[in-house]
Each structure stands twice: as C-alpha cells, then as structure tokens.
Amino acid sequence: RSDDGSSVQLSQLLAGTHSFQANFEQRLSDEDNQIMQQSSGTMIVINSGKLRWQTEQPFAQLVVTDGHKLWRYDEDLEQASVGSFSIDLAQTPAMILSGKVEELDQQYTVTGQIDEQSNGQFTLIPTSTNSLFDSLVIRFNQGRVSAMILLDGFGQTTDIQFSEVVVNAAVNDDLFSFTPPQGTDVLVEQ
Amino acid sequence: CSSWQQDVFDSGFEQPREPLAQWRVQGRVGIRAEGQAESANIFWRLQGDDYNLRLSGPFGAGTVIIEGDAEHVVLKQRNQPDVSAVDAEALLLRHTGWQLPVSSMVYWLQGLASPELPVDDSRRLVVEADTENTVMQDLPLAMLQQGDWHIEFQRYSRIESTVLPSKVVITHPSLRITLIVSQWQL
C-alpha cells in the first residue's frame, strides 16, 4: 500500500516545478549489469505535458511532444515520424518531472523519503499492469531531481543521471514543435 | 542461422574474410515501410550459432528480446508469454510487425554476403593508391545485390585489425532498414 507520507512528500517536491531542464547521461544495462547502450544529450519538460528529449551521443535522435503531437526524428537513420501523443507515453518517467503530480498516487504506489538536506529517493511502482516499466526510482539531491532509474520485466536497468538541472526557467514554446529538415522522409502516423 | 556454404555464391564472388565467430554490437536500427517508421536501440550478441538480439525503445521501454541457436528461436516481450519458432524472421514479423531478415543481417552487419541468398551483384570500396598491394578480394564491400535485397555499406570503422561496417542501408521493394553501429566488441 502506498505510504501516504512518501506520496505526499514526493508530490510536494515535484509540484513546485512547472519546467525542468537538464543534461542527461543514460545507460541501459542487462540483467548481468552488462552495459548495452549509453547515450547522452539534453532534455526539457514543462508541466503542460510538453517534452523535448534530444539525444546527441552516440546518435542524434529527437523526441518532441507539445502534448498533442509527438515527433520522432532520427538524423542518422534519416527517418522522422509524427503522430498523436498517446496516453501511455504520458506516463513516461520524464512527464513526472514536469510537476504533473495530480494523479501521482493513483498511478503509482510510492515509498521512500528525503532527509533534512533534501537528499534521498522515492520508489514508484506503477499500479496499472500494462505500464512500460516495473519500478521507477527518483533520486533527489538538495531537493533537486538528480537521477531516475527504471527497472523493466527483463531485469534491465535504465539509469538516467541529470546534471546542470534548471527548474522553472522561462521556456520558449517552439522548443516543443519540430519541423524536419528539407527532404526528410516523414511518416505521418494516423 | 545456417553456417557458411560456399556453393550459394556465384563463381568469382569471394567474401572479404571469414565470418566472425563472436561479436557484440550496440547501435540503432530503423525500419521504414508502407505506413510504418520504427526506430529502436539494438544490442546484438553472437557466439557461434547462439545469439541474443534486443530491440528497445526510449528509456529501455518496449524491449523485445530474441534468443536463438541453430535449432530454434525464442521471442520475449514485456507482459507477454515467451513464444518460440524455428524461424526468427516469421516470429518477429508476427509478434512485433518488424520485418527483419535476421539470419542474413548476421552477415550484412559484418560487411559480408549472406549465404542464404545468391549474390547477383557486388561492388568493392575503391581504396586509395597507397595500398596497391591490397588484393581485390580483401577490399571491403561497398554494395551487394542479393535477390530482392540491395545492401549498401555506407560507413566503415576499424576495430582492432578488422574493418567493420558502422552504417548499412538495406533496401527491399517494400521496405528500407538502416543499421547504425555505435560500438563493435569482438
């Protein structure tokens, strides 16, 4: 059962956020902790459900949504697609960082806490069975999100470390739409 | 996947080198077909006839795992029972909609022709003059036409003493597959 204190504490920590931007280092490792993929780039999310996740290394790959449309652009694959922003993507972990915490305690069972220096972590277990991951850990450093670690059904771990975190900065809205370069082969998904 | 049979290739076509007995690849794969544009991170480990191929989406979500050996293949997906078959291609297509010629890609990924298909046409990379002692057959492949599959080796990188592809574009009348390798481990 959710430890209400944790859920409330996490919501309070996140609720003050209306925009969250950072550099990220992401590492995907398998059940034997062998690294399968490492990537890095920049991300920004705002609490009206808009997200920009720009991977720079090892590939240039962009995921952008304005809350209605979702663009995916793979530069080296020379491939782009635009489609409607589906709800299950709304549960992507990044969305939680945007301060969208209204239904947090319905969507997740939350445990964990932070100490007086606002360091610590929370573990979120999705309540729905068809979620994208088994559990999500959100780590805080002096009251700021410093990492997110996702576990999925295969014992795979996605470890995302954030740096240069900026919270509640004014954000230019056209960051959340995307126009593919001339001549890009774009698939419009119905 | 079948082992390398010499007779399938046309006379005069020689593989640049022996297939590698084991490798590990990290990269990205894209499929562009009628009404479909998918991309995923790919992690592929091969040892002799045994292989483990993983396709995963953003944040490691939606991972599909294919584990195969000479006899059969198992496909694993989140919240779904494992399914097994003899042929990886059919299994992947039926359960994920992805059309990947896995057993041929094992060879194309290494810059080699697939023993599963005839070689109808091939071209080698043109190498600068300073390697005049390079034997024609040792030059890496630039292009292969194998049946309906057109394979272009667009980028190579050197790993230890071997030159291996880092970008391969595979086109078929109904689709285009782009394979990018960010890391080879031998």
Side-chain angles (χ1 to χ4, degrees):
Chain A
R1 223 187 48 67
S2 179
D3 159 359
D4 284 351
S6 304
S7 183
V8 167
Q9 197 178 37
L10 177 59
S11 300
Q12 278 162 354
L13 272 167
L14 293 173
T17 312
H18 51 77
S19 87
F20 177 94
Q21 64 192 97
N23 298 342
F24 68 84
E25 297 271 337
Q26 180 174 312
R27 202 174 33 174
L28 174 66
S29 36
D30 69 10
E31 57 284 6
D32 315 323
N33 229 344
Q34 294 277 345
I35 294 177
M36 300 197 296
Q37 214 255 331
Q38 284 175 287
S39 60
S40 63
T42 59
M43 59 77 66
I44 178 164
V45 62
I46 59 178
N47 74 356
S48 49
K50 298 180 179 179
L51 163 82
R52 181 184 185 89
W53 194 277
Q54 171 76 60
T55 302
E56 281 137 11
Q57 296 303 328
F59 323 99
Q61 192 225 333
L62 181 63
V63 176
V64 174
T65 180
D66 57 8
H68 310 294
K69 281 195 190 158
L70 176 78
W71 288 269
R72 286 183 301 166
Y73 174 54
D74 263 89
E75 204 175 311
D76 218 355
L77 296 181
E78 296 149 67
Q79 218 173 277
S81 70
V82 54
S84 58
F85 174 62
S86 59
I87 293 309
D88 65 353
L89 266 179
Q91 285 171 9
T92 53
M95 283 302 165
I96 300 173
L97 298 179
S98 72
K100 252 169 116 66
V101 289
E102 302 76 23
E103 317 99 49
L104 195 71
D105 47 18
Q106 284 104 27
Q107 289 174 334
Y108 300 99
T109 308
V110 182
T111 56
Q113 77 279 322
I114 51 166
D115 60 24
E116 316 73 51
Q117 290 86 24
S118 304
N119 297 326
Q121 66 184 41
F122 296 87
T123 302
L124 290 76
I125 315 275
T127 46
S128 93
T129 48
N130 54 21
S131 71
L132 296 174
F133 49 87
D134 280 3
S135 77
L136 161 66
V137 167
I138 303 180
R139 196 164 291 156
F140 282 85
N141 191 329
Q142 273 114 40
R144 278 264 165 83
V145 173
S146 60
M148 279 195 321
I149 296 122
L150 295 98
L151 287 178
D152 74 0
F154 297 117
Q156 280 183 155
T157 308
T158 301
D159 181 318
I160 307 170
Q161 299 290 324
F162 294 112
S163 59
E164 320 284 335
V165 173
V166 174
V167 174
N168 295 344
V171 174
N172 183 333
D173 210 47
D174 52 28
L175 270 174
F176 301 105
S177 64
F178 173 69
T179 318
Q182 200 52 22
T184 305
D185 161 25
V186 181
L187 173 87
V188 180
E189 288 156 350
Q190 280 16 16
Chain B
C1 45
S2 56
S3 58
W4 180 35
Q5 302 112 352
Q6 175 62 34
D7 45 38
V8 172
F9 297 133
D10 295 332
S11 61
F13 177 82
E14 266 185 44
Q15 292 279 39
R17 64 185 177 292
E18 292 282 322
L20 298 164
Q22 65 175 26
W23 40 261
R24 188 191 286 261
V25 154
Q26 281 179 38
R28 194 138 176 85
V29 61
I31 283 200
R32 182 72 175 82
E34 191 43 46
Q36 180 192 19
E38 299 290 348
S39 59
N41 296 313
I42 188 167
F43 174 76
W44 202 341
R45 192 174 56 227
L46 180 134
Q47 190 135 22
D49 280 337
D50 300 338
Y51 65 88
N52 180 303
L53 165 64
R54 285 181 199 224
L55 302 169
S56 60
F59 315 122
T63 293
V64 171
I65 296 180
I66 304 173
E67 278 163 358
D69 57 31
E71 284 81 36
H72 81 300
V73 173
V74 179
L75 183 128
K76 301 181 178 183
Q77 264 181 304
R78 181 172 171 64
N79 296 340
Q80 318 228 342
D82 293 0
V83 274
S84 62
V86 173
D87 160 0
E89 281 81 353
L91 200 57
L92 197 56
L93 183 59
R94 193 161 3 102
H95 289 279
T96 66
W98 280 61
Q99 193 185 349
L100 285 179
V102 176
S103 39
S104 287
M105 281 168 71
V106 165
Y107 294 88
W108 294 336
L109 188 63
Q110 305 177 46
L112 300 175
S114 161
E116 319 246 324
L117 300 161
V119 175
D120 304 317
D121 189 9
S122 70
R123 232 180 333 96
R124 306 261 171 184
L125 276 184
V126 178
V127 178
E128 312 79 42
D130 66 359
T131 53
E132 67 294 330
N133 49 22
T134 313
V135 172
M136 184 58 185
Q137 274 65 24
D138 301 343
L139 291 177
L141 285 165
M143 179 280 289
L144 274 172
Q145 184 70 42
Q146 293 203 255
D148 287 340
W149 299 94
H150 177 83
I151 305 98
E152 285 197 2
F153 302 94
Q154 294 189 352
R155 256 194 336 248
Y156 275 92
S157 46
R158 180 173 291 282
I159 292 92
E160 293 158 15
S161 59
T162 320
V163 172
L164 288 164
S166 50
K167 182 171 184 179
V168 184
V169 179
I170 302 161
T171 42
H172 177 275
S174 61
L175 79 154
R176 180 187 81 210
I177 302 165
T178 308
L179 255 171
I180 296 169
V181 176
S182 58
Q183 190 178 69
W184 275 99
Q185 280 170 302
L186 304 183

